[in-house]
Amino acid sequence: MTDHRITWHGEHKAGLTRGERAADILRNGMGSWTFVGLFILFMAAWAAVNTFLLATRAWDPYPFILLNLFLSMLAGLQGAILLIAAKRQDAIAAAMALHDFETDVQAKVEIERLMALNRQQLEMLQGVRTLLERTQGIGPDAADEPREGRETG
């Protein structure tokens, strides 16, 4: 059988909007070594194609003005996407902190209840022990009380 318990993270992911999911995917993609490697490879290929392969008919000759325009646009969009993702991460952290606080408060109440129950049990055990000591004549009060069946004399 499968376990269908819903965790806090599952509930949170289910409530994400399409834009929030897209921001998460883009953040995870742009924050990877794969992206960095592919980006460097793309820029090297762009430069190689425009410098060597299409030397006389290059669509973006050496100063690579078109490439610089694309890089500037990418930087602007990337900054905005990363800010959106950072805001989302802050919201997630705040929600998790609130959830942790509520869990801690519930745990504290439960621990206090268990401690009170433990104190009651200890008091009951002490009462039973005192009663047992009195009836069997053992313990600190035994010297004061004569024991049944003991010969005095």
Side-chain angles (χ1 to χ4, degrees):
M1 296 211 118
T2 58
D3 190 10
H4 292 290
R5 285 184 295 174
I6 296 177
T7 63
W8 181 89
H9 296 286
E11 289 178 14
H12 177 75
K13 279 193 168 194
L16 294 178
T17 65
R18 184 179 302 177
E20 290 169 335
R21 282 193 297 272
D24 285 346
I25 290 168
L26 287 172
R27 176 201 62 212
N28 293 339
M30 286 189 291
S32 69
W33 284 107
T34 304
F35 176 80
V36 172
L38 290 174
F39 193 71
I40 290 172
L41 185 65
F42 171 77
M43 290 191 333
W46 182 286
V49 165
N50 281 289
T51 303
F52 301 115
L53 294 179
L54 302 175
T56 57
R57 296 176 301 142
W59 69 83
D60 189 21
Y62 166 63
F64 307 121
I65 295 170
L66 186 59
L67 179 62
N68 283 318
L69 175 66
F70 289 152
L71 291 175
S72 296
M73 289 188 302
L74 178 66
L77 287 175
Q78 197 170 22
I81 290 169
L82 293 176
L83 284 174
I84 291 168
K87 281 177 37 179
R88 284 211 356 84
Q89 197 61 37
D90 288 345
I92 289 169
M96 287 180 69
L98 178 62
H99 181 266
D100 288 346
F101 175 74
E102 290 169 351
T103 301
D104 290 347
V105 168
Q106 290 173 349
K108 181 183 178 196
V109 168
E110 186 67 20
I111 289 170
E112 288 173 350
R113 188 184 70 76
L114 289 172
M115 291 299 292
L117 183 62
N118 192 15
R119 276 191 292 278
Q120 287 177 344
Q121 289 175 342
L122 287 173
E123 289 171 6
M124 290 171 58
L125 284 174
Q126 187 61 36
V128 168
R129 184 178 198 183
T130 303
L131 184 61
L132 186 60
E133 287 173 352
R134 283 188 191 154
T135 57
Q136 293 183 353
I138 3 177
D141 298 335
D144 299 338
E145 299 176 12
R147 192 169 168 185
E148 292 181 26
R150 189 175 7 172
E151 293 183 20
T152 55

